């Protein structure tokens, strides 16, 4: 139960919600721009509107707008739109605003915080279809944290024509030992049902879309060793979509072979000497994942670096699972750690643009 609670706590952050378009019941979120568009742009940037011929270099063969494509930030497990109505606590803390300052069009679609990626991926796909209808673009770039990366892979598998690229940060592509331990500790299905009911009871006041189908164990089972094997066999990569990934390392780990790559991102390599102190809320699970005596496995407190590798691996960032998204509340990643999460995401997008996305 302690491990399960730690897993829940580690991804509990919020995002911002805007009213959906009047013609649908879906939730379309973005950094400003009003409820109809769900778009945030800087004062110097274009609106991302289908009526703006200057956006994305003009028409595309499909008649829609081509690159540069909008950015979709996909949240992880236990992601919220507006935590307890606070209105200012976002999952990717202040990231939408920071990217908008550079003229980017950014969306933060919200999906069920506690469910399998099959369910969440279908919800994310519906949001992306709205985004493309609103902007007139042909595709999106998805930058995803934690479980959001698995959701994004579901979207790319089912509708590869709508996705240009997926970049994942600390996504458990090969599962998480934390989930294995949590499921072993709560093996009785009756206890699982009780915990699901508890999550619904606690979560309902905090998350307005939580419903009776929500299940924390649907997600934990997917993160388990057998669950992720089944997921990967079913949701294979689509040839037309570009995939890249990052791992995280904390507890002052340097990385080692699990973080090595033939294609490191320069903006990550500059922080190779950075050491991240683990957040106290993640110290238990970090120790569980590290392996203890003998070989050490670099991890971010919830996901081992070796399990986060997918597609082109761009290296490990000196950050725990909180630091990777600017939580808690934009605090420093820790004494002696020069890594800056806002600059990191700016650099990720810059590289995507260089690749033609």
């Amino acid at each position: 139960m302690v491990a399960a609670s730690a897993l829940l706590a580690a991804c509990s952050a919020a995002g911002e919600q805007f009213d959906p378009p009047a013609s649908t019941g879906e939730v379309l979120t973005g950094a400003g721009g009003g409820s109809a568009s769900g778009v945030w742009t800087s004062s110097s940037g274009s609106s991302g509107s289908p009526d703006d011929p200057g956006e994305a270099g003009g028409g595309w063969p499909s008649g829609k707008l081509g690159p540069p494509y909008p950015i979709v930030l996909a949240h992880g497990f236990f992601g919220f739109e507006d935590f307890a109505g606070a209105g200012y606590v976002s999952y990717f803390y202040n990231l939408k605003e920071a990217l908008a300052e550079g003229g980017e069009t950014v969306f933060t679609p919200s999906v069920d915080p506690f469910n399998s990626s099959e369910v969440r991926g279908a919800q994310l796909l519906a949001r992306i279809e709205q985004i493309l209808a609103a902007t007139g673009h042909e595709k999106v770039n998805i930058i995803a944290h934690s479980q959001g990366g698995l959701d994004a892979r579901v979207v790319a598998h089912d509708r590869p024509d709508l996705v240009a690229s997926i970049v994942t940060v600390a996504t458990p592509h090969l599962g998480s030992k934390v989930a294995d331990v949590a499921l072993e500790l709560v093996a009785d299905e009756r206890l699982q049902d009780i915990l699901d009911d508890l999550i619904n009871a606690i979560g309902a006041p905090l998350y307005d879309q939580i419903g009776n189908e929500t299940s924390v164990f649907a997600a934990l089972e997917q993160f388990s060793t057998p669950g992720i094997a089944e997921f990967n066999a079913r949701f294979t990569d689509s040839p037309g979509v570009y995939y890249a990934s990052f791992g995280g390392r904390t507890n002052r780990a340097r990385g080692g072979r699990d973080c090595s790559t033939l294609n490191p991102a320069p903006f990550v390599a500059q922080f190779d000497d950075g050491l991240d102190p683990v957040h106290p809320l993640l110290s238990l699970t970090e120790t569980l994942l590290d392996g203890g005596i003998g070989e050490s496995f670099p991890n971010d407190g919830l996901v081992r670096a070796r399990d986060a590798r997918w597609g082109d691996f761009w290296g490990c960032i000196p950050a725990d699972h909180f630091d990777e998204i600017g939580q808690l509340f934009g605090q420093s990643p820790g004494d002696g750690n020069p890594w800056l999460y806002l600059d990191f995401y700016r650099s990720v997008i810059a590289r995507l643009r260089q690749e033609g996305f």
Side-chain angles (χ1 to χ4, degrees):
M1 289 299 290
V2 172
S5 298
L7 182 62
L8 288 171
C11 293
S12 59
E16 298 166 336
Q17 178 178 346
F18 294 85
D19 295 332
S23 59
T24 74
E26 301 291 348
V27 173
L28 177 62
T29 65
S35 61
S37 65
V39 180
W40 177 300
T41 57
S42 67
S43 58
S44 61
S46 59
S47 67
S49 165
D51 297 326
D52 181 2
E55 175 75 3
W60 207 239
S62 63
K64 299 180 180 179
L65 299 175
Y69 297 116
I71 302 297
V72 170
L73 301 177
H75 68 72
F77 186 62
F78 210 169
F80 288 86
E81 294 178 21
D82 187 355
F83 190 76
Y88 65 89
V89 185
S90 58
Y91 185 89
F92 294 91
Y93 194 74
N94 286 340
L95 180 57
K96 297 188 300 295
E97 295 83 351
L99 296 178
E101 290 297 323
E104 295 292 346
T105 301
V106 185
F107 294 84
T108 56
S110 179
V111 298
D112 192 327
F114 319 108
N115 222 316
S116 71
S117 285
E118 181 177 0
V119 172
R120 287 166 46 113
Q123 294 172 345
L124 180 59
L125 174 56
R127 313 296 191 247
I128 288 174
E129 289 174 338
Q130 280 188 284
I131 289 169
L132 295 177
T135 65
H137 280 85
E138 183 180 45
K139 300 181 179 183
V140 297
N141 294 305
I142 305 176
I143 300 177
H145 180 247
S146 194
Q147 188 184 0
L150 301 180
D151 305 341
R153 284 175 49 199
V154 171
V155 174
H157 175 271
D158 292 348
R159 289 296 305 274
D161 55 309
L162 303 184
V163 181
S165 69
I166 295 174
V167 177
T168 63
V169 180
T171 289
H173 293 290
L174 300 182
S176 175
K177 186 177 180 181
V178 174
D180 288 333
V181 172
L183 291 172
E184 288 176 6
L185 292 174
V186 194
D188 191 321
E189 291 186 0
R190 292 171 297 178
L191 293 178
Q192 295 178 14
D193 290 340
I194 291 173
L195 185 54
D196 277 343
D197 290 342
L198 179 63
I199 291 295
N200 276 273
I202 295 174
L206 303 180
Y207 188 80
D208 59 8
Q209 289 190 30
I210 197 168
N212 294 331
E213 299 302 317
T214 289
S215 172
V216 64
F217 282 95
L220 290 179
E221 288 172 356
Q222 179 185 290
F223 301 151
S224 69
T225 299
I228 200 64
E230 180 181 351
F231 177 88
N232 288 337
R234 180 176 178 186
F235 295 101
T236 55
D237 290 352
S238 297
V241 178
Y242 178 71
Y243 298 83
S245 60
F246 295 93
R249 54 181 176 86
T250 189
N251 201 22
R252 302 192 182 280
R254 292 192 176 275
R257 63 181 182 180
D258 284 355
C259 290
S260 64
T261 174
L262 297 176
N263 187 29
F267 54 89
V268 173
Q270 66 177 313
F271 296 118
D272 281 350
D273 293 330
L275 300 178
D276 181 61
V278 65
H279 195 286
L281 288 176
L282 297 174
S283 60
L284 175 64
T285 49
E286 194 285 328
T287 300
L288 172 68
L289 294 175
D290 182 74
I293 300 175
E295 184 177 6
S296 179
F297 299 101
N299 66 86
D300 70 350
L302 281 181
V303 181
R304 298 188 303 182
R306 61 170 52 187
D307 296 327
R309 300 173 72 108
W310 199 262
D312 281 345
F313 185 64
W314 285 352
C316 289
I317 55 179
D320 62 38
H321 212 72
F322 286 135
D323 297 334
E324 290 158 356
I325 52 174
Q327 295 291 353
L328 300 171
F329 309 109
Q331 68 182 134
S332 165
D335 292 339
N337 186 356
W339 187 74
L340 301 172
Y341 78 100
L342 294 178
D343 287 349
F344 165 73
Y345 286 101
R346 290 188 186 104
S347 297
V348 169
I349 294 174
R351 177 156 182 174
L352 289 176
R353 300 312 188 201
Q354 291 173 359
E355 297 291 336
F357 302 117

